[in-house]
Amino acid sequence: MKGTDYDIVVVGGGVCGASLATVMARADTRVLVFERETQFRDRVRGEYVEPWGVAELHALTIYRTLKEAGAHELLTLTTGSARKEPRDLVRTSAPRRPALTFYHPSAQEALLNRAAAAGAEVRRGASVRKVRPASPPSVVVHHDGRSEEITARLVVGADGRSSLARKALAPADHTNDQARLIAGVLLDGVSTPENSALIAMNPKASLVAYLFPQGGGRARAYVAFRAGACEPMRGEGDLDRLIDASVEAGAPAEAYAGVTASGPLATFAGTERWADHPYRDGVVLIGDAAGISDPTWGQGLSLGFRDVRVLRDLLLASQDWDAAGHAYAVAHDCYFLTTLKVVGWVTEFFLGVGPEADERRARARPLARQDPTRVPDHIVSGPDLPADETVRRRFFGEE
């Protein structure tokens, strides 16, 4: 498309937006990124990348950027499922990769700096007021005391859960309230193996606890619980409540002995939300702007990096970016909805409460101990694995 100000305008300079800006700028594409934050700050959000998401980072060749910014590899995973010993992720996951965890503000800063080094123009402290799907699409932005409208071949909405770009696109929007809340905090002084993620589950209480080490005794701790089971946790004064709930979920009490909070403690909803076909008239959505899966199972960052890689590949393969946008939306719907399906199975199995849920676990768990392949591995290995009714029936011990 001739006569546009830029090839790509990215709304949002978080990890997904900055990653796309980096890989497209490397391909000599004129990229402009608008980021409202002048300085990134710690907030409670996902910082854990599954092995299948790590494979996407390698495909994007941005893994080293995150490592240089302090990202920490987790080689094993200890869970409250049938596996008693830590799972070797590199040996047993389909991608043959470790998991990765990082401090979000450092990762955002590093990726946005890498985008600028690759040739993207980055404007921080910019407030995007409107996104206009059209031919060509445009954004209206306020920056440095003035407003202007900027056109592009493609506008990318990477502006998170409350995406302005999604509102402008107005796709069919779906919400699935999981009736679960997740509290999280960054801790120092954690006594847990530095190279292993920990996920503990207590089905009777429908509780899940997580410890994702970041190195040097620092770890991001979360606990997921049913809405209404207790009051949301907020502020450092609720740290003991978070630790108590984590121990009730099955996490070792000694891991939390003497810890201190080094960031905010907050609670967020486990609501799923997604848009059908996240592309129209030159505007495309990636990351949380396109869809949010239940964060209980930590798929958000991996899905976001998959979005970036798929969109990049399609844009670089064709001059027809409208067709590429539609192809991306079809692909996104496929792997995102597969993820939602399997996450639903896993939630029902591990966190379902009541006699029927107890009976299901009592029936299926002995079978899984005999044959661990009955348990779907999509959470670790990705949405490309089969996810049909046969897989579900084997998991639930119904065949």
Side-chain angles (χ1 to χ4, degrees):
M1 184 181 298
K2 296 181 179 180
T4 58
D5 299 311
Y6 292 86
D7 294 316
I8 297 174
V9 169
V10 181
V11 181
V15 292
C16 289
S19 296
L20 182 70
T22 298
V23 297
M24 294 306 297
R26 286 173 182 164
D28 295 325
T29 303
R30 298 173 301 151
V31 181
L32 172 62
V33 182
F34 289 122
E35 168 53 46
R36 66 182 178 183
E37 302 285 347
T38 57
Q39 182 175 358
F40 295 119
R41 56 189 175 86
D42 187 22
R43 296 187 309 218
V44 177
R45 55 190 150 184
E47 294 177 323
Y48 181 74
V49 186
E50 298 284 0
W52 74 271
V54 170
E56 299 290 356
L57 288 171
H58 280 282
L60 291 165
T61 63
I62 58 175
Y63 188 78
R64 180 179 294 181
T65 299
L66 289 172
K67 283 285 290 175
E68 291 173 349
H72 184 70
E73 289 184 346
L74 299 176
L75 304 178
T76 62
L77 170 65
T78 302
T79 71
S81 63
R83 293 184 175 89
K84 301 296 184 183
E85 296 298 319
R87 175 181 177 178
D88 184 332
L89 294 172
V90 176
R91 185 176 63 83
T92 66
S93 69
R96 299 293 190 266
R97 300 287 187 181
L100 192 74
T101 187
F102 52 74
Y103 181 58
H104 218 106
S106 297
Q108 290 175 291
E109 200 70 47
L111 288 168
L112 202 54
N113 288 340
R114 184 53 56 94
E121 182 181 343
V122 177
R123 300 186 193 177
R124 300 185 69 162
S127 175
V128 173
R129 303 292 176 82
K130 289 184 180 179
V131 174
R132 291 175 171 155
S135 182
S138 65
V139 299
V140 176
V141 62
H142 187 79
H143 184 244
D144 284 343
R146 66 188 184 92
S147 294
E148 61 179 320
E149 184 169 4
I150 297 173
T151 60
R153 290 180 67 188
L154 184 71
V155 172
V156 179
D159 47 344
R161 293 168 176 256
S162 56
S163 170
L164 179 68
R166 184 177 62 233
K167 293 174 184 175
L169 200 61
D173 216 9
H174 305 273
T175 300
N176 181 16
D177 187 353
Q178 294 292 320
R180 193 165 14 265
L181 300 175
I182 302 170
V185 65
L186 189 64
L187 297 177
D188 280 324
V190 178
S191 300
T192 190
E194 292 271 275
N195 67 347
S196 188
L198 171 68
I199 302 176
M201 287 179 280
N202 181 340
K204 290 287 188 182
S206 195
L207 279 171
V208 190
Y210 318 78
L211 277 174
F212 296 137
Q214 297 185 0
R218 172 168 285 189
R220 186 71 71 173
Y222 303 95
V223 62
F225 53 96
R226 284 176 294 157
C230 65
E231 289 296 313
M233 303 174 197
R234 296 187 180 92
E236 193 171 345
D238 278 338
L239 179 58
D240 286 344
R241 289 180 58 212
L242 184 145
I243 292 172
D244 290 345
S246 299
V247 173
E248 185 181 354
E254 58 270 21
Y256 303 89
V259 299
T260 58
S262 55
L265 194 164
T267 298
F268 56 96
T271 303
E272 294 176 332
R273 182 177 183 181
W274 68 98
D276 280 347
H277 201 80
Y279 171 78
R280 178 173 65 85
D281 294 335
V283 177
V284 65
L285 308 177
I286 63 173
D288 284 354
I292 305 164
S293 66
D294 180 356
T296 304
W297 305 107
Q299 299 295 288
L301 283 170
S302 298
L303 284 165
F305 292 129
R306 167 69 67 92
D307 288 348
V308 173
R309 196 264 303 164
V310 170
L311 182 58
R312 177 203 64 175
D313 290 351
L314 289 165
L315 293 176
L316 295 183
S318 173
Q319 288 298 311
D320 186 346
W321 281 11
D322 184 62
H326 284 296
Y328 159 79
V330 170
H332 169 88
D333 286 350
C334 182
Y335 55 75
F336 186 83
L337 292 176
T338 296
T339 299
L340 290 190
K341 180 196 297 185
V342 177
V343 161
W345 296 344
V346 173
T347 300
E348 184 179 358
F349 185 87
F350 288 111
L351 299 180
V353 294
E356 184 178 345
D358 293 339
E359 189 277 331
R360 182 188 303 118
R361 285 187 287 267
R363 177 182 67 239
R365 277 179 164 164
L367 298 173
R369 282 193 286 269
Q370 296 171 12
D371 180 6
T373 66
R374 285 177 170 269
V375 181
D377 202 42
H378 302 65
I379 303 299
V380 168
S381 293
D384 298 329
L385 299 176
D388 56 20
E389 181 63 11
T390 299
V391 174
R392 188 200 68 80
R393 290 180 61 81
R394 289 189 76 236
F395 180 32
F396 284 70
E398 293 177 356
E399 86 288 40

